[in-house]
Amino acid sequence: MSTVSHAHDHHDDHAHDHPHGWRRWLYATNHKDIGTLYLIFSFVSLMAGGVMALLIRLELFQPGLQFIRPELFNQLTTLHGLVMVFGAIMPAFVGFANYMIPLQVGASDMAFARMNNFSFWIMPVAALLLLSSFFVPGGATAAGWTLYAPLSVQMGPGMDMAIFAVHLMGASSVP
């Protein structure tokens, strides 16, 4: 038996079409890559929220000790709640959904893969906006993670940044 070799013997391997290195993650359209990005972001947010929780617990360790200012304590409490809910829990669910649903239904990928990628990249921008509210005049919001009035109407630009960041994070969790 002889083996016939053809010059145009291509397999359906289109690896040359996909970006490599950091471009693979920036321009990802593969549902597994985007799901992995969401899960990594969720883990990083979990660590950031955990550091805030440690600072809160440090302040509450013993009565009378004052490691941080009371205003910063309230800001940490609020941003801890926002980061954990909108930065850790929601992206974890979206990441698992991005990764698993196409596998479960037998689809090759998610619909609107580029929009799915854009949806993820809104999330880090919103997280940076939320965390940078610590550095504006008046500091971050201290209205509790629910952002209810009357505390929410007494805040400065940190409150506006937090509200906009929560809206962006909510929008990015709907791929």
Side-chain angles (χ1 to χ4, degrees):
M1 256 177 146
S2 65
T3 305
V4 178
S5 176
H6 297 285
H8 302 290
D9 194 14
H10 295 305
H11 299 288
D12 290 330
D13 182 22
H14 299 288
H16 63 280
D17 294 333
H18 300 293
H20 299 286
W22 62 270
R23 286 184 180 95
R24 171 186 175 192
W25 300 104
L26 184 62
Y27 303 118
T29 55
N30 182 358
H31 69 97
K32 291 180 184 176
D33 289 345
I34 296 172
T36 303
L37 286 170
Y38 270 109
L39 292 172
I40 291 170
F41 179 82
S42 175
F43 181 73
V44 170
S45 294
L46 183 74
M47 294 296 111
V51 167
M52 291 180 205
L54 287 173
L55 290 172
I56 292 167
R57 296 309 301 167
L58 178 69
E59 181 65 25
L60 298 175
F61 178 65
Q62 187 174 357
L65 290 178
Q66 297 298 311
F67 287 101
I68 55 178
R69 298 184 332 268
E71 298 84 20
L72 182 59
F73 178 82
N74 291 339
Q75 293 170 9
L76 283 172
T77 303
T78 298
L79 261 61
H80 164 74
L82 292 173
V83 165
M84 292 305 255
V85 170
F86 293 101
I89 296 170
M90 283 177 34
F93 285 130
V94 173
F96 282 124
N98 259 312
Y99 199 94
M100 293 303 296
I101 287 176
L103 297 176
Q104 290 176 341
V105 300
S108 62
D109 207 342
M110 297 284 279
F112 306 113
R114 284 191 174 87
M115 189 166 60
N116 193 7
N117 181 13
F118 179 69
S119 178
F120 167 76
W121 286 109
I122 292 173
M123 183 81 66
V125 171
L128 286 174
L129 182 67
L130 184 64
L131 293 177
S132 65
S133 69
F134 276 118
F135 305 108
V136 297
T141 179
W145 76 271
T146 56
L147 304 177
Y148 286 150
L151 292 175
S152 62
V153 297
Q154 299 170 3
M155 298 287 143
M159 183 67 192
D160 300 332
M161 292 171 74
I163 289 173
F164 189 54
V166 166
H167 277 87
L168 287 176
M169 287 179 158
S172 75
S173 69
V174 185

